[in-house]
């Protein structure tokens, strides 16, 4: 039986931290389905399709073991449609724990057959989030070493960054 994990998130935009988690996850799982949440009530910088395209491009080298899809509704429902036995999430610091704990227990309550698996992000990405990268980029800061090159290109277009 293939070990399949769902790696859900907003990915607005994907960062090097997200890519790091997928790479680590692929040492455990045969296939990872990166699941981009469609959330019309949350204002996002990138459209769902732009996020999917950036993830595809950034993970091109792992394309045989990766799928990238959007989803709405309950994550556990999407996971079971996809035959995924696990939900993969990254943790950067203790501050992530409370939310992740709540999310994992709620997901377990909703579907006891899907396990949550947490991986520690590489230390050098531990301070990075999509929000902080967007904020820094919006003020013209150099975030080129915090996001994959496909994402950097898109951020440059959005914020009219030089270099
Ligand atoms: O990258 P994020 O924003 O931290 O990801 C949050 C995400 C997408 C994992 C979470 O919001 C989610 O799973 N949303 C789908 C609805 C759902 O199943 N919620 C949890 C149980 S109510």
């Amino acid at each position: 039986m293939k070990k399949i994990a769902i790696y859900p998130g907003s990915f607005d935009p994907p960062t090097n931290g997200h890519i790091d988690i997928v790479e680590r996850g692929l040492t455990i799982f045969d296939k990872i389905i990166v699941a981009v949440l469609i959330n019309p009530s949350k204002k996002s910088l990138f459209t769902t399709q732009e996020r999917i395209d950036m993830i595809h491009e950034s993970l091109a080298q792992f394309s045989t073991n990766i799928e990238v899809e959007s989803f709405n509704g309950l994550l556990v429902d999407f996971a079971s449609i996809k035959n995924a036995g696990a939900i993969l999430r990254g943790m950067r610091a203790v501050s992530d724990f409370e939310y992740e704990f709540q999310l994992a227990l709620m997901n377990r309550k909703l579907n006891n057959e899907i396990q949550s698996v947490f991986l520690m992000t590489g230390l050098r990405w531990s301070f990075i989030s999509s929000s902080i990268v967007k904020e820094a980029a919006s003020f013209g800061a150099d975030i080129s070493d915090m996001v994959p090159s496909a994402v950097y290109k898109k951020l440059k277009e959005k914020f009219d960054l030089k270099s």
Side-chain angles (χ1 to χ4, degrees):
M1 242 310 250
K2 273 197 163 188
K3 281 188 272 167
I4 303 174
I6 291 275
Y7 179 40
S10 304
F11 304 107
D12 184 43
T15 67
N16 285 348
H18 293 125
I19 305 304
D20 179 70
I21 292 297
V22 173
E23 285 189 41
R24 290 174 196 279
L26 283 175
T27 66
I28 303 173
F29 298 103
D30 301 307
K31 182 163 131 189
I32 293 181
I33 301 165
V34 184
V36 179
L37 177 69
I38 301 168
N39 187 356
S41 62
K42 200 168 152 183
K43 200 176 155 8
S44 57
L45 179 63
F46 294 101
T47 65
T48 306
Q49 192 55 51
E50 281 177 314
R51 286 180 257 166
I52 290 175
D53 292 344
M54 287 186 282
I55 296 167
H56 264 305
E57 253 191 86
S58 310
L59 290 170
Q61 56 178 314
F62 306 109
S63 58
T64 46
N65 305 93
I66 293 286
E67 261 179 43
V68 187
E69 288 197 33
S70 58
F71 80 104
N72 52 24
L74 284 178
L75 173 62
V76 288
D77 291 345
F78 184 66
S80 52
I81 289 167
K82 291 285 167 185
N83 290 319
I87 293 167
L88 173 63
R89 293 283 286 172
M91 285 243 209
R92 292 163 297 194
V94 179
S95 50
D96 283 339
F97 179 78
E98 207 166 330
Y99 174 64
E100 294 302 333
F101 182 72
Q102 191 182 22
L103 188 68
L105 290 184
M106 185 56 157
N107 284 334
R108 184 192 286 168
K109 175 87 182 146
L110 296 171
N111 187 331
N112 196 26
E113 284 170 11
I114 300 173
Q115 303 301 330
S116 292
V117 174
F118 299 95
L119 293 177
M120 292 298 154
T121 313
L123 195 58
R124 68 202 167 123
W125 314 124
S126 60
F127 66 97
I128 291 176
S129 66
S130 298
S131 319
I132 209 157
V133 162
K134 272 187 291 195
E135 186 172 336
S138 75
F139 292 116
D142 180 8
I143 41 78
S144 56
D145 59 352
M146 300 174 199
V147 293
S149 54
V151 177
Y152 183 57
K153 219 171 83 195
K154 294 290 283 182
L155 281 170
K156 267 195 347 193
E157 284 166 24
K158 290 266 182 202
F159 294 120
D160 202 20
L161 299 179
K162 308 282 168 298
S163 79

